[in-house]
mmCIF file of all heavy atoms in Angstrom:
data_model
loop_
_atom_site.group_PDB
_atom_site.id
_atom_site.type_symbol
_atom_site.label_atom_id
_atom_site.label_comp_id
_atom_site.label_asym_id
_atom_site.label_seq_id
_atom_site.Cartn_x
_atom_site.Cartn_y
_atom_site.Cartn_z
ATOM 1 N N TYR Z 239 41.025 -144.499 156.668
ATOM 2 C CA TYR Z 239 39.602 -144.155 156.788
ATOM 3 C C TYR Z 239 39.182 -143.215 155.667
ATOM 4 O O TYR Z 239 38.110 -143.383 155.072
ATOM 5 C CB TYR Z 239 39.338 -143.501 158.142
ATOM 6 C CG TYR Z 239 37.933 -142.982 158.298
ATOM 7 C CD1 TYR Z 239 36.857 -143.859 158.392
ATOM 8 C CD2 TYR Z 239 37.684 -141.613 158.323
ATOM 9 C CE1 TYR Z 239 35.556 -143.386 158.527
ATOM 10 C CE2 TYR Z 239 36.383 -141.134 158.459
ATOM 11 C CZ TYR Z 239 35.334 -142.020 158.553
ATOM 12 O OH TYR Z 239 34.047 -141.547 158.681
ATOM 13 N N ARG Z 240 40.022 -142.253 155.342
ATOM 14 C CA ARG Z 240 39.691 -141.322 154.256
ATOM 15 C C ARG Z 240 39.610 -142.056 152.925
ATOM 16 O O ARG Z 240 38.711 -141.783 152.114
ATOM 17 C CB ARG Z 240 40.748 -140.216 154.182
ATOM 18 C CG ARG Z 240 40.758 -139.270 155.383
ATOM 19 C CD ARG Z 240 41.780 -138.178 155.187
ATOM 20 N NE ARG Z 240 41.906 -137.333 156.385
ATOM 21 C CZ ARG Z 240 42.692 -136.278 156.462
ATOM 22 N NH1 ARG Z 240 43.429 -135.928 155.410
ATOM 23 N NH2 ARG Z 240 42.758 -135.565 157.575
ATOM 24 N N VAL Z 241 40.538 -142.966 152.702
ATOM 25 C CA VAL Z 241 40.515 -143.747 151.460
ATOM 26 C C VAL Z 241 39.246 -144.593 151.392
ATOM 27 O O VAL Z 241 38.565 -144.649 150.359
ATOM 28 C CB VAL Z 241 41.766 -144.640 151.355
ATOM 29 C CG1 VAL Z 241 41.637 -145.605 150.179
ATOM 30 C CG2 VAL Z 241 43.020 -143.791 151.189
ATOM 31 N N ALA Z 242 38.929 -145.247 152.506
ATOM 32 C CA ALA Z 242 37.723 -146.089 152.545
ATOM 33 C C ALA Z 242 36.471 -145.248 152.347
ATOM 34 O O ALA Z 242 35.528 -145.666 151.661
ATOM 35 C CB ALA Z 242 37.652 -146.841 153.879
ATOM 36 N N GLN Z 243 36.450 -144.040 152.928
ATOM 37 C CA GLN Z 243 35.294 -143.165 152.768
ATOM 38 C C GLN Z 243 35.154 -142.722 151.319
ATOM 39 O O GLN Z 243 34.035 -142.683 150.770
ATOM 40 C CB GLN Z 243 35.446 -141.933 153.667
ATOM 41 C CG GLN Z 243 34.261 -140.975 153.627
ATOM 42 C CD GLN Z 243 33.010 -141.559 154.240
ATOM 43 O OE1 GLN Z 243 32.967 -141.843 155.432
ATOM 44 N NE2 GLN Z 243 31.969 -141.741 153.435
ATOM 45 N N SER Z 244 36.291 -142.416 150.675
ATOM 46 C CA SER Z 244 36.266 -142.008 149.275
ATOM 47 C C SER Z 244 35.758 -143.139 148.385
ATOM 48 O O SER Z 244 34.932 -142.921 147.481
ATOM 49 C CB SER Z 244 37.666 -141.578 148.832
ATOM 50 O OG SER Z 244 37.681 -141.232 147.465
ATOM 51 N N ARG Z 245 36.229 -144.347 148.638
ATOM 52 C CA ARG Z 245 35.772 -145.494 147.847
ATOM 53 C C ARG Z 245 34.293 -145.769 148.073
ATOM 54 O O ARG Z 245 33.561 -146.110 147.141
ATOM 55 C CB ARG Z 245 36.602 -146.724 148.209
ATOM 56 C CG ARG Z 245 38.046 -146.659 147.719
ATOM 57 C CD ARG Z 245 38.844 -147.839 148.205
ATOM 58 N NE ARG Z 245 40.202 -147.836 147.668
ATOM 59 C CZ ARG Z 245 41.182 -148.650 148.053
ATOM 60 N NH1 ARG Z 245 40.930 -149.559 148.991
ATOM 61 N NH2 ARG Z 245 42.367 -148.568 147.511
ATOM 62 N N PHE Z 246 33.864 -145.612 149.303
ATOM 63 C CA PHE Z 246 32.442 -145.810 149.612
ATOM 64 C C PHE Z 246 31.595 -144.765 148.900
ATOM 65 O O PHE Z 246 30.542 -145.086 148.327
ATOM 66 C CB PHE Z 246 32.219 -145.726 151.121
ATOM 67 C CG PHE Z 246 30.770 -145.801 151.532
ATOM 68 C CD1 PHE Z 246 30.121 -147.016 151.598
ATOM 69 C CD2 PHE Z 246 30.063 -144.647 151.837
ATOM 70 C CE1 PHE Z 246 28.783 -147.091 151.966
ATOM 71 C CE2 PHE Z 246 28.727 -144.705 152.196
ATOM 72 C CZ PHE Z 246 28.093 -145.929 152.265
ATOM 73 N N ASP Z 247 32.047 -143.518 148.911
ATOM 74 C CA ASP Z 247 31.308 -142.443 148.232
ATOM 75 C C ASP Z 247 31.245 -142.704 146.731
ATOM 76 O O ASP Z 247 30.198 -142.482 146.094
ATOM 77 C CB ASP Z 247 31.967 -141.095 148.503
ATOM 78 C CG ASP Z 247 31.835 -140.662 149.963
ATOM 79 O OD1 ASP Z 247 30.973 -141.218 150.657
ATOM 80 O OD2 ASP Z 247 32.607 -139.788 150.391
ATOM 81 N N ASP Z 248 32.358 -143.161 146.146
ATOM 82 C CA ASP Z 248 32.371 -143.471 144.713
ATOM 83 C C ASP Z 248 31.394 -144.599 144.392
ATOM 84 O O ASP Z 248 30.666 -144.554 143.391
ATOM 85 C CB ASP Z 248 33.783 -143.869 144.266
ATOM 86 C CG ASP Z 248 34.744 -142.684 144.260
ATOM 87 O OD1 ASP Z 248 34.270 -141.536 144.308
ATOM 88 O OD2 ASP Z 248 35.971 -142.916 144.223
ATOM 89 N N ALA Z 249 31.378 -145.634 145.257
ATOM 90 C CA ALA Z 249 30.466 -146.759 145.039
ATOM 91 C C ALA Z 249 29.012 -146.321 145.179
ATOM 92 O O ALA Z 249 28.132 -146.760 144.428
ATOM 93 C CB ALA Z 249 30.779 -147.887 146.027
ATOM 94 N N THR Z 250 28.766 -145.420 146.124
ATOM 95 C CA THR Z 250 27.411 -144.901 146.311
ATOM 96 C C THR Z 250 26.957 -144.113 145.092
ATOM 97 O O THR Z 250 25.823 -144.264 144.614
ATOM 98 C CB THR Z 250 27.351 -143.995 147.555
ATOM 99 O OG1 THR Z 250 27.740 -144.746 148.710
ATOM 100 C CG2 THR Z 250 25.945 -143.460 147.764
ATOM 101 N N ALA Z 251 27.867 -143.268 144.569
ATOM 102 C CA ALA Z 251 27.531 -142.469 143.386
ATOM 103 C C ALA Z 251 27.296 -143.365 142.173
ATOM 104 O O ALA Z 251 26.369 -143.133 141.385
ATOM 105 C CB ALA Z 251 28.657 -141.473 143.103
#
Side-chain angles (χ1 to χ4, degrees):
Y239 174 69
R240 293 183 186 183
V241 171
Q243 183 68 64
S244 178
R245 290 175 176 171
F246 175 80
D247 292 342
D248 289 344
T250 301

